[in-house]
Amino acid sequence: LLGAESFVNGVASCLSHLQDAGLSNVRIHFGDARDLLEVLPPAAIDRAFLLYPDPWPKARHIKRRFVNPEGMDLLARTLKPGARFHLATDIADYAEHSIALMDRRRDFARLDHPVDAPWPGWIRTRYEAKAIREGRRPHYLIWTKR
């Protein structure tokens, strides 16, 4: 299992949880996931999760979102055919932006999954709990790589 996190506190917390659980099959990249995707071989990933990404809410910052043409090109290159891409966000604009962008792509197909229902095997994150506490509705989206 490969993970990417660009905040040092997130990496430290993850490493602590991994050690407490005795897991040794996880590797964490301290940095942007795009950097990791650039060096992975084509069709190397079975499944990808983007959980509560930075929404970059200002219009001038939208290009920094992971779900943009460049980020999705990198992900498409590294996902195996039939692999799934899961996105969870509590920002309605990010969900709408992602659906609009992904609907234009020919290399992904959105699964018919209820947007307001977590996917099977979902484990609640603290970001999800915070969003619900603050009255924001989580969105759960899934695409398949064609």
Side-chain angles (χ1 to χ4, degrees), residues 34 63 66 68-75 105:
R34 288 170 278 230
K63 64 184 177 236
F66 182 85
N68 66 40
E70 296 79 21
M72 297 317 300
D73 286 347
L74 284 170
L75 186 62
R105 295 188 67 100

Side-chain angles (χ1 to χ4, degrees), residues 52-53 88-92 127-128 130-132 134 136-139:
Y52 293 90
T89 181
D90 61 316
I91 306 299
Y127 291 104
E128 179 191 44
K130 179 181 177 185
I132 292 169
E134 294 176 359
R136 291 187 306 275
R137 189 182 112 221
H139 299 78

Side-chain angles (χ1 to χ4, degrees), residues 53-78:
D54 190 330
W56 295 103
K58 294 181 181 177
R60 69 177 185 264
H61 294 154
I62 286 177
K63 64 184 177 236
R64 296 181 183 177
R65 290 178 174 178
F66 182 85
V67 178
N68 66 40
E70 296 79 21
M72 297 317 300
D73 286 347
L74 284 170
L75 186 62
R77 184 188 70 78
T78 57

Side-chain angles (χ1 to χ4, degrees), residues 4 22 33 41 52-53 62-63 79 86 92 107 116 122 131:
Y52 293 90
I62 286 177
K63 64 184 177 236
L79 283 176
H86 299 254
D107 50 357
D116 60 349
W122 171 257

Side-chain angles (χ1 to χ4, degrees), residues 83-131:
R84 291 189 176 178
F85 167 52
H86 299 254
L87 168 64
T89 181
D90 61 316
I91 306 299
D93 177 66
Y94 200 105
E96 293 164 9
H97 163 88
S98 299
I99 291 168
L101 184 139
M102 297 297 283
D103 281 353
R104 292 190 303 269
R105 295 188 67 100
R106 293 188 176 150
D107 50 357
F108 285 93
R110 196 169 113 183
L111 287 178
D112 184 22
H113 173 81
V115 172
D116 60 349
W119 49 77
W122 171 257
I123 298 172
R124 175 172 273 183
T125 71
R126 68 180 190 169
Y127 291 104
E128 179 191 44
K130 179 181 177 185

